[in-house]
Amino acid sequence: MVAKVGIGIVGGGYMGKAHAVAMSAVGAVFNTNLRPSLEMVCATSKASAERYRVAYGFHRATHDWRVLVNDPSVEAVVIASPQETHLEIAEAAMRLGKPVLCEKPLGASIEDGARMVELAETHGVANMVGFNYIRTPASQFARKLIADGEIGDVTWFRGEHTEDFLADPETPANWRTTGQANGTMGDLAPHMVNAALALIGPIDRLIAEVETVHSTRPGGDVTNDDHGQFMCRFENGAMGQLYFSRVAHGRKMGYAYEITGTKGAIRFDQEDQNAIWVYRSHGDEATRGFVKVLTGPAHPDYLPFCQGPGHGTGYQDQIIIEARDFLLAIETGQPVWPTFRDGHDVNRVIAAAMQSSRDKMWKNVSHF
Amino acid sequence: MVAKVGIGIVGGGYMGKAHAVAMSAVGAVFNTNLRPSLEMVCATSKASAERYRVAYGFHRATHDWRVLVNDPSVEAVVIASPQETHLEIAEAAMRLGKPVLCEKPLGASIEDGARMVELAETHGVANMVGFNYIRTPASQFARKLIADGEIGDVTWFRGEHTEDFLADPETPANWRTTGQANGTMGDLAPHMVNAALALIGPIDRLIAEVETVHSTRPGGDVTNDDHGQFMCRFENGAMGQLYFSRVAHGRKMGYAYEITGTKGAIRFDQEDQNAIWVYRSHGDEATRGFVKVLTGPAHPDYLPFCQGPGHGTGYQDQIIIEARDFLLAIETGQPVWPTFRDGHDVNRVIAAAMQSSRDKMWKNVSHF
Amino acid sequence: MVAKVGIGIVGGGYMGKAHAVAMSAVGAVFNTNLRPSLEMVCATSKASAERYRVAYGFHRATHDWRVLVNDPSVEAVVIASPQETHLEIAEAAMRLGKPVLCEKPLGASIEDGARMVELAETHGVANMVGFNYIRTPASQFARKLIADGEIGDVTWFRGEHTEDFLADPETPANWRTTGQANGTMGDLAPHMVNAALALIGPIDRLIAEVETVHSTRPGGDVTNDDHGQFMCRFENGAMGQLYFSRVAHGRKMGYAYEITGTKGAIRFDQEDQNAIWVYRSHGDEATRGFVKVLTGPAHPDYLPFCQGPGHGTGYQDQIIIEARDFLLAIETGQPVWPTFRDGHDVNRVIAAAMQSSRDKMWKNVSHF
Amino acid sequence: MVAKVGIGIVGGGYMGKAHAVAMSAVGAVFNTNLRPSLEMVCATSKASAERYRVAYGFHRATHDWRVLVNDPSVEAVVIASPQETHLEIAEAAMRLGKPVLCEKPLGASIEDGARMVELAETHGVANMVGFNYIRTPASQFARKLIADGEIGDVTWFRGEHTEDFLADPETPANWRTTGQANGTMGDLAPHMVNAALALIGPIDRLIAEVETVHSTRPGGDVTNDDHGQFMCRFENGAMGQLYFSRVAHGRKMGYAYEITGTKGAIRFDQEDQNAIWVYRSHGDEATRGFVKVLTGPAHPDYLPFCQGPGHGTGYQDQIIIEARDFLLAIETGQPVWPTFRDGHDVNRVIAAAMQSSRDKMWKNVSHF
Ligand SMILES: NC(=O)C1=CN([C@@H]2O[C@H](COP(=O)(O)OP(=O)(O)OC[C@H]3O[C@@H](n4cnc5c(N)ncnc54)[C@H](O)[C@@H]3O)[C@@H](O)[C@H]2O)C=CC1
Ligand SMILES: NC(=O)C1=CN([C@@H]2O[C@H](COP(=O)(O)OP(=O)(O)OC[C@H]3O[C@@H](n4cnc5c(N)ncnc54)[C@H](O)[C@@H]3O)[C@@H](O)[C@H]2O)C=CC1
Ligand SMILES: NC(=O)C1=CN([C@@H]2O[C@H](COP(=O)(O)OP(=O)(O)OC[C@H]3O[C@@H](n4cnc5c(N)ncnc54)[C@H](O)[C@@H]3O)[C@@H](O)[C@H]2O)C=CC1
Ligand SMILES: NC(=O)C1=CN([C@@H]2O[C@H](COP(=O)(O)OP(=O)(O)OC[C@H]3O[C@@H](n4cnc5c(N)ncnc54)[C@H](O)[C@@H]3O)[C@@H](O)[C@H]2O)C=CC1
C-alpha cells in the first residue's frame, strides 16, 4: 500500500532544489511504498523561501528552520543548507524522532559530526548523508564487483575529486573561499573519501599535503585550501593515492578512480558516468583489455530510469536514488547507508589529513 | 502565476512511465507556469492500468482511452501507446481541442501521420512529437552551433541510430519483429532522421537499402527490417549517409552523428551524451583538434538540472525537457517543435527510403 | 643465410623516403633472409636525385628511371613516383624480370592497372601494391578475427578514409587538385576500398556520389573530387557504407571502420592505430562491452618492433612490414598480397563508383 | 658532408635490438651528418652475439665487451646490457674518450651513477641516458607548452608508469624479481621521474611508500618491489603525486601524466602516444574543453617520420630520435640531454624515495 510522507527541506539552493525534484519524481520512478508530499521549504529570507515554495511546489514556506522541523506535517527532514547549520537542525529533528537526510559533509567540523552520530544513535532515528556520486549505477556496480571478488584482492586505489570552479585566479573571493568546511578538503574531498571507504574499506593511515594556491583574490584573502592530496594505506593492505582540487583547469566533474586488484582492474570517471571500464586477467591475451561497459538494466538502480542500456542516467537521478533510500529509512525507521556514522568516518579521514598536512607526518586515522 | 493542468497519459509501459515521471518532475525543474496534475492513465487491461495508476501516482485509471480523452479533468493528452493507436487517440483528443504530445513515430504509416497533421491544423490545437534524443543539451547546442554558422556551410552529415536488442539471432520473435512501423526503419530511424532534418535541413533526394538480417527466429518469421541505410543529398547541398540497425552488436544507444562544414566539424555519440566534440579550423595548428566539450550551464536546458558543468543529464531528463515544451504548447495553444508536421516530414523521408529500397533508385523526398 | 639484394627506388618524396627508411631498417627488425642494399634513387632532376641519394644513403642517383630500372645492381624496383608514371616504370622492370613494389593506386587509370596486372602475370614476376594501412598489427588482427569467424557472419561494414588537407577553401590549387587519379577517389579511397575487400570480401554492387566541394581555389579551378561516398552490397551479403574526403575538417588520419557480425563487432580508427575495439556477444551482460585491445606481441607483426604490449607502432613501421613482404616476394619470386591484381580490384571498385556517380544508378562491380 | 661513425652496441636483447634498428634507420630519417656503421655487437655468449650480428647486420660480434670497447672501429658505444654492467663498460669507453649512450637506469645504484657522472665530466666525453618515452613528439610538445608558459605556473603534477607484466601472481620468479635495480622503482620509475623533472623541474622533497605485492612466486621469493608511490613538492612550488607498478592489471604502457597550471592543463597517456590533450582557460565557455591534439608536422621531431598529421609514430621511432641526438653528441663532442647527470638526478629522487619508504618520513632530495 502506498502512503504519504510529509517532507520538509531546509535550503532551496543548489541541493535544496535537487532534493525537491527528487522527492517529486522518486515515487513514480521506484514505485515506492512511501510517497513524499512536499510540505515545507525553508530558506534564509521570507522572500526566497516563498520563491522556492512556488518554484518547487511546496505547500508552505518559512525562513525559520525551527518552524519547519516542528511542524507536524513535516515527518522527515532534508538538510540542504550550509554545513554550519547541519548540527542544530539535525539535533532538533532527531529529538522529535524525525528521520534526517543531511547533505555532505556531516556538519561543519569533526566535532559537529561526532555529535550528530551520537544524537542519531541515542534517539534511534533514521539518518543518512547525501553522498550522491557513489549512487550511480556504475559506482554501485564497481562496489559489487569488488565485493564479489571479481578483481581479486585490491592492491591499489587512486581517487580524485577535481573541479575547476576556482581555477581562474581572477574569480573573486566568495563564501566558498573562507571557512575550512568550505575549502576543497571540507567540501569536495568527502565525496571521494566516501567512495574510497565504500569501495576499498577503512583507511588505516595516511600522509597529506594541503594548500591554498591563490591566497588572494579580487575582493579578499582566501583562508581555506584550494587543493590537497594524500597517500594512504587501507586496513586491508591496499595502498592508495587521493587528490582533491577546485583549481584543476579542465576538470568539470573529476570524480574518478582507478582500482587494481590481483585479478583485474576497474576505472571510472564521472565525466562519463554511464561507462565503467573493467579489466579481467583471464582469457585470450589477444582480445584482452579494458571493457567499456555502458550501464544498463543489468546494473544496480538503472532499470527504473530506462529499459534501454546506454541510454544514460544523470546527476539528478543520483539524488532520486538517494531519495528512494531515504524513504526506505523513513519506512523502516532504520539508518540507511551512508549513515551519519559513515559521514563521520569520512570526516575523521579528512581531519587526519588536515593534521598530517600541518605536522608533515603519517597519521593513524583511528586516532581521529 | 502557477496553475494546474490535468494530464492524461495513454500507455503505462516504457514511455508511459517516462512521461509520468517527467510530468511529476518538470514543474520543480523548470519552474513552469503550468503544473501537471496526473489525472488519468490508460492501459490495455483494467489490472495493468490500475497498477500504473498506483505506481506512477495518477488519480484515476482506465482501460479505455476514450474515457481518458473525454474526461473533463484531462486537459491534455500524452500518447505513449503503440503506433497503431496514435491516429485515433490523437484525433479524438484534437476534436475536443485538447493538446496532444504523441510518441514517435507519428502514426503507424505515412497516411496516419498525414491525417494527424491535417487534424492538428484544422483544429488549431497544440501538438508535438516525442523525439527526445534531440533534446539533450549537447544536441541542442549542436543545432545552435550550426545555425550560428560556427562550422560554416555543412558539406557532410553522417548519422546512425544503432542498437543491438535483436542482434542475437536466438532472441525469439515478438511484436517488434512484425509490422513495418515496428521495424528498424519504422521504430529507430525516425529519431535520427529527425536529427538530420533539425541539424542540417530538408533532404532533397535519397537512395536506400533496407533488409531483414535474421528472417526467422525462434517462435516465428520476422516480417520487418533489421537494418537499413541511405545516402542522401540535403536541399542546402550537403551530402549525407545514414544507417539504422537493431542488430548492431555492441551498440546500446548508437544515436550518433558527424557533421563537417567549411569551417569546422561536430561529432556526437549519445552513448556519451554529456560530451560534444567540436573542431574549428582556426588558431595555431599545433594546438588544434577536436575539443571535448562537457555540457554544462553554458549549454541549452542544462542549468535547471544542475549548476555544475560535467555533472551530467540522462535519458529521463530529455523527457523532462520535452514535458517543459509541451506545457508551453498547452499554455500558449501553439504547436511546439517538433510538431506533427515535423513528425510527418520524418515519415516522408522514411517512406521515400522504403520505396527506394524496393525500386533500387534515387527518390525525391518531395514526392512523398 | 643472409644475402644482399639491390633496391632501386623511383621517387624520393613522401613515399620514396618512407621506402628508403624501411629498406634500411627491415633487415634488423625482421631478421630477413634478404638484406636490401640501397643501390639507386631516381627523381625528376639531377639535383633532387642527388639530394635524396645523400639523405637516404643510396649509392647512386639518377634523374632517368630507365637508368635505374636497367642497372644490373638494381634487382628489385620500388615505384614511389606519381600515378602517371607507374605503368611504364613497372612495365620496363617486369620485362627485365625485376620484382616491383608499386605505390597505390595501381596506375593512373583502370586501364593502366589492368595492363600492369597483365604484364605481371605474363612475365611471372613478383609484384605488390603499397597499401600500407592494412598492415598495422591492429588491422591484420581484425582480418584474422573475421576470417576465424570470431564475430560470425558479417552483416555490416562502414569504412571511411578522411583527412582535411584541403578542407580550408583558401588552400591554393596545386597538382592534387587536378587529375582524377589525384582526387579523393583516386588518391585516398583506394586505401579504404582495399581494407573493405580484405576484411569483408569482394563487392557485388554499389551506388555512389562524388563531388567537388570547393570548385575554385586561389590559383585555379579544381577539376577533381573533394569527397565521395558509396553504399554497397558485398558478395557475401553484407551491406556497406563508405566515405572518402580530403575536406573533412578535424580528421587527420581518418582511416576508420566499423564491422558488425552475427556474433560480435569490431571498431578501428587509425588515429589511434594501436588500439582495436572488439565486442563479443557472449558472457555476462553486466560486464559486456567493447574491449579496447592494445596491440602487442599477441598480434600480427608486432613483436619484431617491441616486446612490450601497448608500446606502439607507427606509420613508418607499416612500411617496414610492407618491405618485409616485398623481400619475401623477391626471395620466392611469388606475388605477395596485395598484388597488382588486388590493386586492380580496388581500381575496379573506384571505376564503378565514378560511373555510378555519373549515372546515378547502382553498378555491378563485375562489369568493370 | 656525410661521414661514417662506427657504433658498438653491448647487448642484443630488447634494447640492443631497438638501438641497432635505430642506428640503421636514423640517417635516412633525419638526414644526419654522421651515418652509423654497425661495427660490433656484444652479448654474453659467443653464440648469441653471433646470432645478433647476423640478425641486426653488424660487421663483427664478441662476447667480451672489452673487445668491443677497445676496438678502433668502434667510435661510440651504446650500453644495452643490464644495469650491473653499465658502470664498468661506460668507464672503459669514456677512458678511451668514446661517447656513450647508456640505457636507463644509470647504473645499478646511486653510487654507480654518481661515479659515471664524475667520469663523464672528468673525461669530457659526450654522454646520454636512454629515456626514450620523453622523446615522443607529444611529450616534447608538452615540455615546450609548459616552458612557453602556455598553461601558466604549474600547480599540480600527477605521473605514473604502470605496466602489468608481473600482475599475475602465477608468473614465475625471474631475474626481474630480485635486485633493487630490477624492481619497479629501479626499472620503471626512472622513466616517469625523468619526465617529471623534464616537464616540471627539480623535486624539493618527497614522501614515499614502496612494497612487494606478491612476495613469493613459483620458483622463488621476490626480493624487490612490485609497486611504489610518492607525493612530492617541486622546487617551483608545484605539488605532485607519482605511482609506479609492474602489477597494474590492464595497463600495458601506462606512462601517463596530468599537469595543471594556472592557465590550463595537459593530459597524456602513452597508450595513445599520438595524442596530447590540452586545455586552455580562455575563450567562450560553451566551446571550452580539452582539445585532443593529434601529433603531426607541427610538433617536434614528427615531420621526418611522416608528412601527414595523425599518421602516428611508435616505440621504435622514439629510439630513432634518441639515436639522432646521440649522433649529435658524437659529432659535437658535447653531452646531450638527458646526460648522465640527468640520469643521476633521477637516481637521486629514487634513492630519496626508497629511504623515505623505509623511514616513513619526508626526505629532501638535495640530501641524496
Ligand atoms: N551532494 C552534492 O553534490 C552537493 C552538496 N552540497 C551541500 O549541500 C549543502 C547546501 O549547499 P548548496 O545547496 O550548494 O548551497 P546554496 O547556497 O545553493 O543553498 C543554501 C540554501 O540554504 C539556505 N540557508 C542558509 N542558511 C540557512 C539557515 N540558517 N536556515 C535555513 N536555511 C538556510 C539558503 O537560503 C539557501 O536556500 C551544503 O552542505 C553543501 O556542502 C552542495 C553542492 C553539491
Ligand atoms: N521516444 C523514445 O525513446 C521511445 C518511444 N517509443 C514509442 O512509444 C510508444 C509506446 O512504446 P512503449 O512504451 O515502448 O510500449 P510498451 O509496450 O512498453 O507500452 C505500451 C503501453 O500502451 C498500452 N496500450 C497498448 N494498446 C493500447 C490501447 N489500444 N489503448 C490503450 N493503451 C494501450 C499498453 O497497455 C502499454 O501500457 C510507441 O509509439 C513507441 O514507438 C518507445 C520506446 C522509446
Ligand atoms: N601509401 C601511402 O600512404 C601514400 C602513397 N602515396 C603514393 O606514392 C606515390 C608518390 O607520392 P608522393 O611520395 O606523395 O609524391 P612526392 O611528390 O612527395 O614525390 C614524388 C617523387 O617522384 C619523383 N618523380 C616524379 N616524376 C618522376 C618521373 N617521371 N621519373 C622519376 N621520378 C619522378 C619526384 O621527383 C619525387 O621525388 C603516388 O603514387 C602516391 O599516390 C603518396 C602518399 C602516401
Ligand atoms: N628504455 C627502455 O624502454 C628500456 C630499457 N631497458 C634497459 O636496457 C638495458 C637492457 O635491458 P634489456 O634489453 O631488456 O635486457 P635483455 O635481457 O633483453 O638483453 C640484455 C643483453 O645484454 C647482454 N649482456 C648481459 N650481460 C652482459 C655482459 N656482462 N656483457 C655483455 N653483454 C651482456 C645479454 O647477452 C643480452 O644480449 C637495461 O639497462 C634495461 O634497464 C630495458 C627495457 C626497456
Side-chain angles (χ1 to χ4, degrees), chain C residues 307 311, chain D residues 10-17 19 42-45 48-49 52 62-65 79-86 88-89 102-105 130-133 161 175-176 181-182 186-187 191 315 318-319 322:
Chain C
Q307 291 179 23
H311 288 47
Chain D
V10 183
Y14 188 157
M15 292 315 298
K17 175 175 180 178
H19 288 292
C42 174
T44 32
S45 73
S48 66
Y52 295 140
T62 176
H63 64 291
D64 179 354
W65 61 261
I79 305 176
S81 47
Q83 4 277 45
E84 295 74 41
T85 66
H86 294 180
E88 56 176 0
I89 301 172
C102 181
E103 259 310 321
K104 49 56 48 185
F131 292 120
N132 53 289
Y133 296 117
H161 188 130
W175 65 267
R176 290 178 182 283
N182 300 318
D187 183 42
H191 280 298
Y315 180 81
Q318 299 155 28
I319 317 297
E322 209 166 76

Side-chain angles (χ1 to χ4, degrees), chain C residues 257-268:
Chain C
Y257 50 80
E258 298 171 11
I259 304 168
T260 309
T262 52
K263 288 162 53 180
I266 294 172
R267 313 189 87 186
F268 176 75

Side-chain angles (χ1 to χ4, degrees), chain A residues 65-287:
Chain A
W65 60 260
R66 283 168 218 278
V67 170
L68 181 146
V69 167
N70 287 304
D71 192 281
S73 75
V74 172
E75 296 165 270
V77 176
V78 178
I79 305 175
S81 45
Q83 3 279 45
E84 295 75 40
T85 66
H86 293 178
L87 169 58
E88 56 176 359
I89 301 173
E91 174 160 8
M94 293 192 296
R95 285 192 183 281
L96 294 169
K98 299 190 178 181
V100 176
L101 163 51
C102 181
E103 260 309 322
K104 49 57 50 182
L106 190 72
S109 63
I110 189 167
E111 293 78 18
D112 276 16
R115 180 82 185 112
M116 288 169 79
V117 174
E118 198 189 348
L119 285 159
E121 294 180 357
T122 306
H123 294 282
V125 87
N127 59 87
M128 209 173 110
V129 184
F131 291 120
N132 52 289
Y133 296 117
I134 196 73
R135 305 273 186 184
T136 52
S139 285
Q140 289 193 55
F141 181 59
R143 283 187 81 180
K144 193 175 136 41
L145 281 175
I146 296 168
D148 292 353
E150 293 287 336
I151 63 164
D153 296 328
V154 174
T155 56
W156 171 250
F157 174 84
R158 188 180 79 76
E160 66 177 278
H161 188 129
T162 47
E163 306 197 18
D164 68 358
F165 54 84
L166 284 170
D168 181 351
E170 293 309 308
T171 302
N174 62 26
W175 65 267
R176 290 177 182 283
T177 54
T178 51
Q180 187 193 294
N182 300 319
T184 292
M185 294 302 287
D187 184 42
L188 299 184
H191 280 298
M192 185 42 62
V193 170
N194 168 254
L197 301 181
L199 292 161
I200 314 300
I203 292 172
D204 182 45
R205 56 187 169 84
L206 59 76
I207 180 150
E209 189 143 58
V210 173
E211 76 173 354
T212 306
V213 169
H214 302 297
S215 52
T216 59
R217 292 180 174 273
D221 286 352
V222 175
T223 62
N224 56 20
D225 51 289
D226 282 326
H227 69 163
Q229 64 173 325
F230 65 77
M231 277 179 11
C232 68
R233 177 73 67 168
F234 291 88
E235 287 185 7
N236 64 10
M239 281 194 344
Q241 202 172 60
L242 289 96
Y243 179 60
F244 319 102
S245 179
R246 63 187 185 189
V247 296
H249 269 309
R251 286 300 254 167
K252 307 301 173 185
M253 215 310 98
Y255 175 94
Y257 51 80
E258 298 172 12
I259 305 168
T260 308
T262 51
K263 288 164 49 180
I266 295 173
R267 311 188 90 187
F268 176 75
D269 187 332
Q270 184 86 6
E271 289 183 355
D272 184 10
Q273 69 189 277
N274 294 300
I276 181 150
W277 298 73
V278 181
Y279 180 88
R280 264 121 131 219
S281 62
H282 54 64
D284 182 11
E285 180 118 13
T287 49

